[in-house]
Amino acid sequence: MASTGAARLILASASPRRRDLLAQIGIVPDAICPTDIDETRRKDESPRALAQRLAREKALACPEEGYVLAADTVVALGSRNLEKAADAAEAEAFLRLLSGRAHQCLTGIAVRAPDGRLSARTVLARVKFKRLTDRDIADYVASGDWKGKAGGYGIQGAAGAFVTGINGSYTAIVGLPLYETKALLEGMGWKKASH
């Protein structure tokens, strides 16, 4: 039972990866509130602006009361946004694009306080992939691990073996930069409930 005066923490995401990341730092949301917003990139919208806008919109779209935490991860190769792959063919195409190159993972995070204040930031990490063989790509696509993941891969799974370098936050690449998330929550006044 939460202590008196502790506001609820609502995670505006159905992502099990984000729940697992929060659990790593001892934070368990009081509720999960997946939001259904239009995630279409606007004309001339940069990947950074897209990640932040989507996080903000998700935080605002959740009807729950309390501290609402939302996030969205965008994978970009130059100015091109690689969304969640629609099917195996698109996942394969994304992996061919990323092969032997560096790309950006931008995770927007937003917190809406109980009084309606909203604060957001975007965290950038760079990821470098080895040159992928046809076998690497075929095996990964066949695994299905690409499903539901921006850029058609998840670094925390088998695709971790494709990564030759990271510059920035590993947890931002997975989907929720823990240092920045905790700092943003605390900066907005959220306190972990004592049990």
Side-chain angles (χ1 to χ4, degrees), residues 32-169:
I32 304 297
C33 176
T35 54
D36 185 22
I37 64 165
D38 179 4
E39 297 190 20
T40 307
R41 183 178 175 186
R42 294 179 180 159
K43 187 177 185 296
D44 300 326
E45 187 172 37
S46 72
R48 176 181 285 277
L50 175 65
Q52 186 157 117
R53 178 177 61 83
L54 294 179
R56 287 175 171 272
E57 287 183 4
K58 288 177 180 182
L60 293 170
C62 174
E64 298 269 348
E65 302 240 344
Y67 286 91
V68 177
L69 169 63
D72 197 87
T73 301
V74 171
V75 172
L77 188 61
S79 62
R80 180 170 180 186
N81 179 24
L82 303 183
E83 299 172 354
K84 293 174 184 168
D87 53 31
E90 190 169 43
E92 179 180 334
F94 284 176
L95 291 170
R96 290 195 186 284
L97 279 172
L98 298 173
S99 175
R101 300 170 79 177
H103 61 276
Q104 298 180 328
C105 291
L106 300 110
T107 297
I109 51 173
V111 173
R112 189 190 78 213
D115 63 7
R117 287 176 300 127
L118 184 72
S119 185
R121 63 180 57 154
T122 303
V123 179
L124 165 71
R126 285 185 170 73
V127 181
K128 175 93 167 51
F129 267 24
K130 73 175 190 130
R131 190 162 299 286
L132 303 176
T133 65
D134 289 342
R135 167 64 67 176
D136 290 333
I137 293 170
D139 287 351
Y140 188 73
V141 171
S143 77
D145 190 51
W146 54 270
K147 292 178 182 173
K149 297 182 177 91
Y153 79 93
I155 196 169
Q156 69 280 16
F162 301 159
V163 176
T164 61
I166 292 173
N167 185 351
S169 166

Side-chain angles (χ1 to χ4, degrees), residues 165-185:
I166 292 173
N167 185 351
S169 166
Y170 171 81
T171 56
I173 301 163
V174 178
L176 193 67
L178 292 179
Y179 168 78
E180 293 84 357
T181 296
K182 190 166 189 277
L184 195 59
L185 281 166

